[in-house]
Structures are given as C-alpha cells and as structure tokens.
Amino acid sequence: MSLVTTRPGTGAARPYAFPAIRRVSAHGGTVVAAHLPGQLLANAVLLLDAGAARETDGREGTATVLAKSLEEGTRKRDSAAYALALEGLGAELVPSVDWDNFRVGVSAPVPLLIDAVRLAAEATRTPKLDPADVARVRDDEVTALRMDWAQPGPRADAALRADLFGADGRYNRPLHGDPTSVAAVTVADVLAFHEAWLRRPGVLLVAGDLDALDLGALAEAAFEGTAGEPLEPAGPLGVTLPPARRTILVDRPDSVQSTLRLGHRAPERATPDYVPMTLAATVLGGAFTSRLNHLIREVKGYTYGIRGSYAMTRRSGRFEVAAGVQTAVTAPAIRDTLGEIARTQAEGVTEAELEVARSWRAGQLSVEMQTPGAIAGALSTLVVHGLPDDYYETLRRDYLEATVEDVSRAAAEHLAVEKLTVVVEGDGAVIRDELAEFGELTEAAL
Amino acid sequence: MIARVTSPTAPVAATGYPWPIETTQLPNGLRVVVSEDRTAPVVCVNLWYDVGSRHEPPGQTGFAHLFEHLMFEGSQHVKKTEHMKLVQGNGGSLNATTNPDRTNYFETMPSEHLELALWLEADRMGGLVPALTQETLDNQREVVKNERRQRYENVPYGDAWLRLLPLLYPEGHPYHHATIGSMEDLNAAALETFQAFHRQYYAPNNAVLTVVGDTTPAEVFQLAEKYFGAIATVPDIPPAPDGTLPGPRGEAVRETVTAKVPAARIYLSHRTYPFGTAGYDAVTVLATILGNGRGSRLYQRLADGSRIAQPDYIGSYGVDLAHAPAPLIITATAKDGVPVEALEAGLAEVVQSLIDEPVTDEELNRAKALLTTAWWRGVSTVGGRADLLGRYATQFGDPATAADRLPKWLAVTADDVTEAAKHVLRPESRVTLTYVPGEPS
C-alpha cells in the first residue's frame, strides 16, 4: 500500500448565505441583529458615530481616554461594583475607537446578554467621569502609550501617517494619539466629547440566537434616554501623492530587526474598485503565497512575515506594506519589496495567482465568520458603509467573478511605487547610509 | 424606568461539549475523532502529534518547532509552495504551532474541500522525507531565526518566558528550555537530524486526527482509511524524558535584568500541578480570581487601590502544560515613580492574601462566570473545537473528557482555591524575574 498520489477533487459546495438580519427601532436608535441559531454566546456592540476623526487638533487621544474612563464608575455604582456586576455575568466591556466610530462591545451567554447590554449602556450613557478619575486615566494612558512606543512598530506607523496625511488635520496623527497629544487632553475635552457624541442613540449590533433574545428589550436598554439626530458623514479626503518617493529613518539603536512600513494614499472604502484592489493586494502581499511573502520570506529568508494591504475608512485609504527584517538585510529587503510592487503595478496579476486570491477571499467569508464577534464585526461594516443586507452574498460573487483585467487595471491605478513613503525603524548607525538609494532621506524625531 | 440587573449567581453547566463525538482507530494506530456540526458550511481538520520541545535532547533545542516549518514546504506529491496555495486557494485558513508538549497542524476549509485537506495532511505525514532538501532547511532556519528576533529579542520584556523556564525547571528537565530554541542549536541543525525526527515521531500511532464541522463520522472514517491507511506504524517511539517533579520548587530564586525597557516589571512564577488534574483546575480558578479582569484582586488592589501598577499590564494566568507541574505566572508593571521594591511588596501581599483571606462567593462566582464565557468562546469555532478534542485525545486518551473541564472548574470551591494557594504560592517556592530600565551590562 502507498500514499494516494493524486489530489482529490472538490465535493459539492453548499450555497453561501450570510445570517438573516432583523431590525428593531426605538428612541431614534436601531438594533441590527443577525440570527445565529444554536450559538451559546451572543455579542452586542453599541456603534456610535464618534470616531477619532471627531477629536480636536492637538488633543488626539481624547476618545481613547474617554473609552478607558467609562469603567471608572457610573452615576449608579462605583468602579469596583461595576466590575463585579459585569464580570459576574461573565462579560467584559470592550470599548474601542477607530477612525469612524466609537464602539462599546460585550459578549455573554445568550440569557445574560440583556443584562450585559444594560450595563454597557449605563457606562456609555451615564458614566460618572469624576475629574480626578479622568485625569488619572489620562496619565495612565500616556504611560501605556510610552510602553507601546517602546515596541518596534508604533513609531514607524506614526512617521508614515504623518507623512501621508500631513495636510489632513486629525488624520496625520495616530488613531489613539501620541504621548504628547494625550498628555495635552484635559478633563473638559473628555467631558465635552462625551456630551457631544455619546448621548446620541446610534446603532446596536447584535449577533446571536435571536429566538432567545428580545430585540425590543435590547433596544430599550441601548437607546432609552438618548437624544440627537444622525450625523451627516463628511466627504472623502481624496488621494494626494507626493512628487517622488522618500525615505524616513526612525532610529532604534541596537535593534536586531528593521521595521519596514512602505505606503501611499489610496481611495476610501466606498471606491468602486474595492474588490479588484483587495484582490490585487492579496496577490501582492495578502496570501501566504503572495509575491512579497514568497520572495522575502520563503526564498530569501529575510523575515518571519511580510504583508501588503489596502486599509480603508469612510473618508480615507492607504496602501501599506509591513514587515520586520533582519538588520543586516534591510536594504536588500527594501529593494526586493519595491521590485515586487513595481512588477505588480506594471504587469498586473496572472490567472494562476488570481485564482488563489479569489477563492481565498470568497472562502474566508464563511471560514472567518463563525463566531458572534465576527458576525457583529461584519454587521458593523454594513452599517458604517451603508451597504445592503445582501452585501456579503454580492461580495462573494464579485470576488469569484473578478477577471485578470479588472485586477491588473486596479493594480496599475492604485499602486504607485515611485510615490511611496519608505519608513524604516531600525539601528540608524548600521543602516543609515544604505537608505539614501530609496529616495530623499530624512529622520523622524519621535 | 430603571434598568434592573439581575444579581450574579454561580453558573452551572452539565457539559462543556454539547456536540456529538465519534472515534475510531485505524489498524496503523491513527486515532480519528469526528464531531459533526452542520451549522456552517465549514470543516476543520486538525492533527496533534505527540511530540514537542520536551522531546529535544541537549544541543537540539528548537528542532521540533523548526521541523513544524518544514512541514509546509512540500512532500512526496505536493510540490514546494503548493501546500499553502492549495489550502488558501480553496478558501481555507491554516496554521500550526509547537509548544513544549506537542505540535499541532490545522486548517479550516469550506466543507467541499475536506478531502483535499486530508490528502495534504496524509502526504506530509507519510511522505515528507523524500521532499526535504538542504535548501528548504537553510531557508526555514533563517525564517525561524527571524521569528526569534521578532518575538523574543526585539521587543521589551520579550525574553521573559525564555528566562522563566530555566528558573522554574531544573537542568535536564523537558521543560527547562524554550520551544523557540537557541540560535547556536538552530545554526547547527543538520538535514539528517530532521529526516530522522520525522521518521521517529510523525507516525500514525503518534497522532490524533480530529475533524469537526460539516461532515459525518462515516465520511471521515472512510476518507481517513483511504488517505492515512497506508502509512506504516512506527514501533517503539521513545517517550520524552520523565517530567515528574514534586510540585513547587524547594527554594526561592530570583533574577534581575537591566534592559532597555520602558518601565520596571516583575514576573512572579510558581510551579503548580499538571494541566488536567483537580489541583490545576483549582489553580485555573485561582488565577482568574487573582488576576483576570478589573474585578480581580490584583487589579482592585494594585491598579485601582494603591495605584502602584499600570492598569493595562497586570494579571495572572496558568500555562496549560500537561507533562509536569505547570507554571502560574503573575505579572505587574510599575507606574511612573513607583520603586520596584514597592511593586514587589505589593504583589507579594496580594498573592499572600489568597492564603490568608478566604475567597468570597462574589469572587468565586465572578471567576466562574468569566471562565464560562471564555470556554464557550473557545468552542465557538470548528477550529477551537477540533483542537480541544485533539488535546484531550492525545493527553488523556479520550476526547469526550473535554466535556468535563468546564463542569470541573465550576465545581471548584473556595476551600479548594485556598488549599491550592497554600500548596503552590509559598514565597519559598517562588521564581522572581525583575526587569529594570537601564543600559544592558
């Protein structure tokens, strides 16, 4: 007997379907719920139009300080009592801030979700926000950011963002601010942000077994006592590119790896090219067998991993390649990376590569959307970007039907190897001299 | 209307695994576990090989993990790069991990590709050696060295685990060295060693194949026979060195590291009980009471109360190792201006409180509620379930015993926690690893 030598064929595929979506409205807010029969846990996310983009210049990080202050007690109970009430349900509050939204998430066993949502709403709508607590949380956040910035990556990210979005106000500083901007946040800033944006109803996303969840009660819990109209979204920032490629060194003495961040601006999420752009980036740097990972990791052994992707929000977009490479091969790794980006831009993709990319992206819609948390995340994409309920079925079809011509055109149009900003965070004493070949070299003081 | 929140009560669960489990064993010794769930059109294929870094002899640290990388580089009928391409190119997610106890490989696929996944796994179980080349070894050695740099060397405190293990486990103990291995040993790795490694350990009788999701036991059993049935049994696989230890250390030990770190940090660690024992269940609940969540004693007393520890970097957890008393790790990072001695004294006091102050019902129920949610989150994917069943089949001989873990956690009493604390948390058995900011000497 021996191993089976021929690769088996494909069995019969079951049709793809996103969970059924139901809606309930109350007090100006809407519950958007996905039915996951049999799931023992349920997830709920209060989604508020209060992202980092609403922060004041120079006070970047205000929303993050607010997010971390929500659990410092409410008008009804102090922080210790709040923690015990919530954690006694097996739930934890997950407040987060992105460019477009402020989210407060909880997950809990299905019968306890209503209580968890009541507590999440209590913290979101009526936090105590005692000035001494807020000031302490702000100081702790400055320390936490300094801890984070001691890791490789955050300073390189900040340098890239500052260069790409230099003229775009809030977007030119990190999502959660930096140690300087957070230190400048005042208690009044935090209170004002809460008053202006967190008392509006917003949307409650729910993913769970809807046969056992009372959406009307969840709507009451989330929206009772709120006020305010939905906000008009601001327009896109547009795609501005520099005249030529440039290089920024972020010094990290004695670093055994160089952290690479190469990027340029790209369209926002609403672009009609979303699917071909995603597939082009998958071929270039998304899949394990992508051009970048194959060459830089599997052939050259320069890195543990390298990724290229488009990141898009409601108003902004950017293309980015990210990797950590051994210090000694910094320049060769950048050279090879630029080579693969240039090749993809100029020559597009092949059918064999695209076949992997399309099937992977389409398959991931079922493989990676099994949990209530993942489904709640998928619902948020629908709500934030105004997409229809059958969007994921359409998206899957669009992935599978994308042609080499579509994707190659998107690569040509939305990659710009000569306009990249190349950020290298590493040991300047060792790598500085070899970076000039990649474009005018400056050093970031971060 | 005032929203009413029901008062928390201790959760109950009769089983932690309310899905069917069926098992069989092929004549060559491969154990096959199937758990059908038709909810989503996805299926996970998972293999646990009962080989980890605990099997590595001196001079070969890091070999089990480096070998895991080689398993993705082609086999007898799968060309180099084809494995990843076939899994991702058919919509799947895949990975593998190595730890001291074992090595696991897994892919979650749209269910129409179940047979492909089984074929790929069988080909690298039965046909890796003919495809293994020096070029592949040299390349993956560099990748793994970069993994070591990225995860352990280039990040503040990144080598804490590498430093704790030799303090926790004596020279020659299978857990003494870290799975990532040393640069010296990785550099010395020879092709023949890896060929021999595969022949020795990657045997059907040293593995458990688990399939969870959109399929039936009958289909999986038939396909397992078709693809894995021809792979020969390996007789007399040598066990890892014996890890038996008398529980906690006999004397305290400390190490202080001056490094480029942004703040002083302390790791306290104790050897406890092996994963899977009643003692370790008590330690799991204890670790949750002590350091999981804002309601934990560490957070309430050091981050909130005395405010000497940074709130984002405080906690405690057990490392679930099954072949020797497993470590409990307790960590805190000093706030600006707090002397590291004050932080250590504060930590020691909170740890001691688990011995001196009875655990309240509120604390116990909070911990059990959090563990319950964590458990259900862990089994909310077919991938999470497959790995769980593979673990229990490999380590305890019966995948169905996975269902008992959650009920056993929920049966832990306040007295059990205190007894466990008295046994494992004594200062005389403590490992203390401290990082202080400064130029490395």
Side-chain angles (χ1 to χ4, degrees):
Chain A
M1 287 195 15
S2 62
L3 291 168
V4 175
T5 58
T6 50
R7 171 151 52 98
T10 302
R14 275 172 55 188
Y16 173 81
F18 190 78
I21 297 176
R22 291 183 210 161
R23 284 183 176 72
V24 171
S25 292
H27 305 291
T30 306
V31 175
V32 180
H35 184 34
L36 305 174
Q39 277 282 358
L40 294 153
L41 288 183
N43 193 285
V45 179
L46 196 51
L47 186 70
L48 302 169
D49 191 343
R54 299 203 180 279
E55 292 169 341
T56 311
D57 284 357
R59 306 289 170 82
E60 295 87 355
T62 301
T64 301
V65 174
L66 173 57
K68 292 195 166 185
S69 300
L70 294 182
E71 288 181 90
E72 294 297 325
T74 67
R75 287 184 208 155
K76 280 168 69 175
R77 55 194 115 211
D78 69 16
S79 62
Y82 186 86
L84 269 179
L86 190 67
E87 292 174 2
L89 303 171
E92 285 174 279
L93 201 69
V94 187
S96 68
V97 177
D98 61 34
W99 290 104
D100 297 325
N101 294 282
F102 192 106
R103 294 165 203 251
V104 182
V106 281
S107 76
V110 170
L112 302 179
L113 188 73
I114 180 66
D115 288 338
V117 168
R118 283 183 184 133
L119 283 165
E122 181 183 314
T124 308
R125 310 303 192 180
T126 58
K128 186 156 54 174
L129 296 183
D130 180 88
D133 289 336
V134 174
R136 173 172 49 83
V137 170
R138 185 259 333 273
D139 294 344
D140 284 346
E141 179 60 11
V142 173
T143 306
L145 273 180
R146 275 202 229 106
M147 298 286 292
D148 191 37
W149 283 43
Q151 312 255 345
R155 292 194 303 149
D157 293 334
L160 179 63
R161 176 161 289 284
D163 196 59
L164 299 191
F165 295 94
D168 288 286
R170 175 62 187 91
Y171 285 83
N172 68 15
R173 286 177 104 160
L175 179 58
H176 301 292
D178 56 40
T180 309
S181 72
V182 174
V185 170
T186 65
V187 172
D189 292 332
V190 174
L191 293 173
F193 196 95
H194 181 268
E195 185 62 32
W197 311 117
L198 264 65
R199 301 172 63 81
R200 294 165 189 267
V203 171
L204 183 74
L205 309 168
V206 175
D209 190 335
L210 301 189
D211 293 341
L213 290 167
D214 181 346
L215 295 186
L218 288 166
E220 281 297 322
F223 306 127
E224 203 218 352
T226 61
E229 295 299 310
L231 299 152
E232 275 303 307
L237 299 179
V239 181
T240 49
L241 297 172
R245 191 160 63 218
R246 42 197 174 189
T247 307
I248 299 171
L249 171 65
V250 180
D251 195 18
R252 189 167 191 267
D254 302 323
S255 190
V256 299
Q257 285 194 321
S258 293
T259 300
L260 308 184
R261 298 285 187 270
L262 290 73
H264 59 62
R265 298 269 289 259
E268 70 286 353
R269 180 63 172 77
T271 174
D273 282 344
Y274 175 76
V275 165
M277 287 169 73
T278 301
L279 291 170
T282 303
V283 170
L284 173 61
F288 188 89
T289 51
S290 72
R291 291 177 176 187
L292 286 172
N293 201 58
H294 179 71
L295 180 63
I296 313 289
R297 170 179 154 132
E298 293 296 297
V299 177
K300 300 291 180 83
Y302 291 161
T303 183
Y304 180 47
I306 180 166
R307 289 282 176 275
S309 62
Y310 290 99
M312 300 162 176
T313 73
R314 210 153 55 182
R315 298 187 63 201
S316 71
R318 57 143 185 73
F319 167 73
E320 185 189 67
V321 172
V325 302
Q326 190 191 348
T327 299
V329 297
T330 302
I334 297 172
R335 218 173 285 135
D336 284 340
T337 300
L338 292 172
E340 289 301 315
I341 298 170
R343 178 163 78 93
T344 307
Q345 181 184 344
E347 299 169 21
V349 302
T350 66
E351 175 57 30
E353 291 171 311
L354 181 57
E355 185 49 38
V356 170
R358 336 174 152 96
S359 301
W360 187 44
R361 289 291 174 200
Q364 294 288 291
L365 293 178
S366 33
V367 167
E368 293 299 323
M369 281 199 212
Q370 297 178 52
T371 64
I375 296 291
L379 288 177
S380 82
T381 299
L382 301 184
V383 171
V384 174
H385 301 291
L387 298 164
D389 286 4
D390 64 356
Y391 173 70
Y392 288 102
E393 285 90 349
T394 309
L395 179 64
R396 183 183 155 84
R397 204 163 48 239
D398 288 349
Y399 278 140
L400 292 173
E401 291 173 0
T403 66
V404 167
E405 291 69 35
D406 297 335
V407 175
S408 297
R409 180 196 53 76
E413 210 164 303
H414 302 293
L415 290 175
V417 70
E418 297 303 329
K419 315 281 184 181
L420 281 165
T421 299
V422 178
V423 178
V424 186
E425 181 184 0
D427 190 347
V430 177
I431 62 177
R432 184 177 286 106
D433 292 346
E434 40 187 55
L435 295 181
E437 75 169 271
F438 304 114
E440 188 194 351
L441 178 65
T442 54
E443 285 203 36
L446 287 165
Chain B
M1 189 187 94
I2 293 168
R4 195 180 58 85
V5 173
T6 55
S7 64
T9 50
V12 286
T15 172
Y17 200 89
W19 295 275
I21 300 170
E22 292 205 29
T23 61
T24 192
Q25 186 165 23
L26 303 189
N28 63 11
L30 180 67
R31 284 170 290 163
V32 186
V33 181
V34 184
S35 182
E36 180 176 340
D37 176 4
R38 299 292 189 167
T39 308
V42 295
V43 67
C44 179
V45 171
N46 178 302
L47 273 139
W48 266 56
Y49 288 95
D50 195 5
V51 58
S53 56
R54 70 194 164 96
H55 293 80
E56 294 164 347
Q60 294 185 4
T61 65
F63 279 39
H65 168 249
L66 176 50
F67 187 82
E68 170 218 309
H69 279 242
L70 301 177
M71 286 281 278
F72 290 91
E73 299 293 319
S75 48
Q76 208 168 337
H77 306 102
V78 180
K79 290 200 287 288
K80 194 172 161 72
T81 79
E82 232 179 30
H83 187 100
M84 294 284 192
K85 199 174 287 178
L86 286 169
V87 174
Q88 292 196 330
N90 286 294
S93 291
L94 74 171
N95 214 334
T97 68
T98 310
N99 78 12
D101 283 353
R102 54 79 187 135
T103 312
N104 63 355
Y105 299 82
F106 42 92
E107 45 275 327
T108 300
M109 310 281 295
S111 41
E112 64 267 28
H113 300 297
L114 167 63
E115 200 166 345
L116 171 68
L118 293 171
W119 177 72
L120 286 167
E121 291 296 355
D123 208 61
R124 61 183 177 177
M125 181 191 288
L128 189 91
V129 172
L132 199 53
T133 66
Q134 187 66 44
E135 184 198 356
T136 294
L137 173 60
D138 291 343
N139 166 258
Q140 289 303 311
R141 185 201 332 262
E142 291 308 308
V143 170
V144 167
K145 284 160 68 181
N146 275 310
E147 180 177 354
R148 195 181 204 281
R149 293 182 188 105
Q150 184 162 324
R151 294 173 58 173
Y152 300 96
E153 298 173 13
N154 208 32
V155 285
Y157 322 104
D159 59 358
W161 178 241
L162 311 188
R163 292 177 183 276
L164 283 172
L165 281 175
L167 298 173
L168 281 163
Y169 299 97
E171 184 87 40
H173 189 274
Y175 292 166
H176 179 75
H177 69 277
T179 304
I180 192 69
S182 74
M183 285 292 197
E184 294 71 32
D185 289 356
L186 291 171
N187 282 329
L191 188 61
E192 304 74 52
T193 312
F194 290 95
Q195 291 166 335
F197 189 88
H198 187 272
R199 288 195 191 99
Q200 186 69 84
Y201 295 113
Y202 279 69
N205 48 314
N206 201 38
V208 172
L209 166 67
T210 307
V211 179
V212 175
D214 185 21
T215 182
T216 62
E219 182 183 21
V220 174
F221 293 162
Q222 181 254 320
L223 292 174
E225 179 58 43
K226 175 177 174 184
Y227 290 106
F228 292 87
I231 303 170
T233 305
V234 174
D236 306 324
I237 297 173
D242 184 13
T244 306
L245 281 172
R249 281 180 58 92
E251 57 184 42
V253 60
R254 59 171 58 237
E255 181 174 313
T256 300
V257 183
T258 304
K260 285 186 184 175
V261 290
R265 175 176 294 179
I266 296 168
Y267 294 89
L268 304 182
S269 189
H270 293 268
R271 286 197 320 241
T272 65
Y273 304 91
F275 173 78
T277 60
Y280 193 76
D281 287 336
V283 168
T284 301
V285 175
L286 178 157
T288 309
I289 291 168
L290 177 61
N292 182 354
R294 294 173 65 104
S296 68
R297 284 197 186 179
L298 284 175
Y299 193 98
Q300 284 294 315
R301 299 183 187 191
L302 301 186
D304 208 356
S306 64
R307 293 177 184 163
I308 59 175
Q310 295 187 33
D312 288 356
Y313 297 95
I314 190 161
S316 63
Y317 54 93
V319 181
D320 297 349
L321 298 175
H323 294 275
L328 170 70
I329 295 175
I330 302 157
T331 184
T333 303
K335 282 183 81 150
D336 290 352
V338 174
V340 69
E341 296 76 17
L343 183 66
E344 185 174 339
L347 267 178
E349 198 180 307
V350 180
V351 171
Q352 185 65 30
S353 79
L354 286 172
I355 298 172
D356 298 339
E357 288 174 42
V359 169
T360 66
D361 285 350
E362 219 170 25
E363 287 181 303
L364 192 62
N365 290 344
R366 186 198 73 94
K368 290 179 180 179
L370 287 176
L371 287 167
T372 301
T373 305
W375 177 270
W376 294 125
R377 189 173 294 128
V379 296
S380 65
T381 62
V382 292
R385 261 175 263 160
D387 202 59
L388 183 76
L389 298 180
R391 170 198 276 270
Y392 280 79
T394 305
Q395 297 188 327
F396 309 115
D398 181 2
T401 57
D404 304 338
R405 183 92 295 114
L406 177 62
K408 283 180 175 174
W409 286 345
L410 300 184
V412 170
T413 65
D415 285 347
D416 294 337
V417 173
T418 305
E419 281 309 304
K422 282 181 186 161
H423 181 64
V424 304
L425 293 180
R426 285 176 300 112
E428 306 88 80
S429 68
R430 186 166 298 157
V431 169
T432 305
L433 173 63
T434 305
Y435 286 85
V436 291
E439 279 303 313
S441 50

